Amino acid sequence: MLYHSTNNYQHTARLEQAVTRGLAPDGGLYIPDSLPRLPKAFLRNMSAMSLQEMAYAIIAFALKDDVPEDVLHDIVFSAFDFEIPLVKTAAGNHVLELFHGPTMAFKDVGTRFMARLLNHYRTRHPEWKTLNVLVPTSGDTGSAVANSFWRMPGVNVYVLYPRDAVNKIQKTQFATLGGNVTAIEVNGSYDDCKSLVEEAFMDSELNTVMRLTSAMSINYARLVPQMIYYFWAYTQLLREQKVNDLVFAIPCSNLGNLTSGLMAQQMGLPVKRFISVENQNNIFYNYVKTGVFTPKPTQYSIAPALDAGCPNNFARVVELLGSHENICRHIHAYSYDDNQIIETIRQTYRDERYLLDPHTAVAYRALAEDLQPGETGVALATAHPAKLKTLMEGIINESLILPAQLARFMGGKMHVVKMPNGFTAFKHLLLDNA
Ligand SMILES: *Cc1c(COP(=O)(O)O)cnc(C)c1O
């Protein structure tokens, strides 16, 4: 199968190039020329499969023969080795809990799959020597990416985070690892961290002496396994005979998870509509309402993983749906501010005894507002509430227990490199390690 750049249909690549480059040379995002449609009988039979079996069958179908069967089988089975429960709240809404992986955020599946696939390509390219993964983060991406590549021979990971904007629990998840993971504290904002990484990819000297790759959600390898979330929710509901008029509400930032949902739909999953939900960084919401896409500087909020002022995967959403009109047909958009997020968490905890994290809360609220009678709604829960422990305790006025998965990082020693916000310092740091 061929992949092309969202900037230019003529610029094509194979899966290996798309995944190892991340971004196309013209700055566009890779997307398959077409996604294959699953046979109807497959959809009906899916409910007899385990999560791992289903994931393998669908991903193998989506990637055709681009990855050897046994390699892909190992990658998928190890990336999907934890539960993804679909719970029903007291009000009868469904919540798909995507936070039971090693770092307790939904990104674990995508980053683990990508890390293993990149490692497969690395072993076929001895000339690369080391693969250097650069990742800017406001919290969740850095921890998921760092843990996915940790102790992988031949891979170095550089996590860049803004000095004042990442909470302690999330920081320990990548900064205590050490070994092949370097945590870099930048004296600047998340947008500054992102610019430093982008500059590194444009720097010809760096790119001749070392093999750089991006682990951001622009990497197609992160989007493919996330499709499974939607198929998995569908099969759980199939057992309850509730799959007609299925609606998914997704907490959105760079629109990677939404893109994966649209890809699942193109492969034949019957989804009636998606609900994209943002916080006050409501760039996509404004696009849906007005037809104009206007990136803005990122504003900090209490749902930090939703703080994106320029959603990376926007071009993929446009390409998959074609026009603004069609986007409005398939996606309803919502946006909530911090006060509304707090109100939703408190109310749901009080009335339903279900604790939403601030990211999940936006999706849960939008589902309640948007769902019509007869429809079945699923809100995607993207992070465990204890990841933002102090904040959550303040909101519900109760103390939370830190799950073992998060507590295990807390005793560790932090290894942090402090850096001014400037490209020269970053470049030297990379060259010194090359
Ligand atoms: C990354 C993240 C999101 C946003 O996902 P996108 O694919 O960037 O839209 C939502 N919630 C949490 C907890 C995240 O970590």
Side-chain angles (χ1 to χ4, degrees), residues 110-126:
T111 57
R112 276 152 47 103
F113 180 86
M114 176 187 66
R116 287 156 173 77
L117 187 60
L118 276 172
N119 195 44
H120 161 67
Y121 292 132
R122 186 191 61 80
T123 55
R124 302 208 311 191
H125 289 276

Side-chain angles (χ1 to χ4, degrees), residues 14-160:
R14 309 283 311 180
L15 181 69
E16 173 176 335
Q17 293 164 312
V19 169
T20 55
R21 283 184 192 149
L23 210 59
D26 63 4
L29 307 177
Y30 286 111
I31 193 157
D33 287 355
S34 71
L35 276 161
R37 253 186 119 73
L38 288 158
K40 284 234 163 62
F42 179 88
L43 287 179
R44 280 195 300 274
N45 296 335
M46 264 186 334
S47 49
M49 297 180 184
S50 71
L51 174 64
Q52 287 167 317
E53 289 166 348
M54 194 189 82
Y56 173 65
I58 294 170
I59 294 171
F61 197 74
L63 299 182
K64 295 282 189 205
D65 301 320
D66 283 334
V67 186
E69 261 178 45
D70 53 331
V71 173
L72 189 64
H73 189 274
D74 284 353
I75 293 175
V76 171
F77 272 64
S78 70
F80 282 90
D81 67 350
F82 50 84
E83 301 276 293
I84 302 184
L86 182 72
V87 303
K88 199 170 176 178
T89 62
N93 295 310
H94 295 92
V95 179
L96 188 66
E97 293 187 347
L98 302 174
F99 53 70
H100 296 278
T103 74
M104 308 207 94
F106 93 99
K107 293 185 172 69
D108 282 327
V109 160
T111 57
R112 276 152 47 103
F113 180 86
M114 176 187 66
R116 287 156 173 77
L117 187 60
L118 276 172
N119 195 44
H120 161 67
Y121 292 132
R122 186 191 61 80
T123 55
R124 302 208 311 191
H125 289 276
E127 76 280 8
W128 291 355
K129 297 198 196 81
T130 14
L131 188 61
N132 297 279
V133 179
L134 310 183
V135 58
T137 190
S138 56
D140 282 337
T141 306
S143 40
V145 168
N147 281 276
S148 299
F149 284 104
W150 191 41
R151 295 189 166 158
M152 217 177 244
V155 180
N156 285 328
V157 182
Y158 297 88
V159 181
L160 288 82

Side-chain angles (χ1 to χ4, degrees), residues 105-107 140-141 217 251-257 305-306 359 382-383:
F106 93 99
K107 293 185 172 69
D140 282 337
T141 306
S217 64
C252 288
S253 160
N254 280 311
L255 309 175
N257 208 1
L306 303 189
H359 308 91
T382 50

Side-chain angles (χ1 to χ4, degrees), residues 205 268 304 372 405:
E205 187 191 352
Q372 301 300 312
Q405 255 142 297

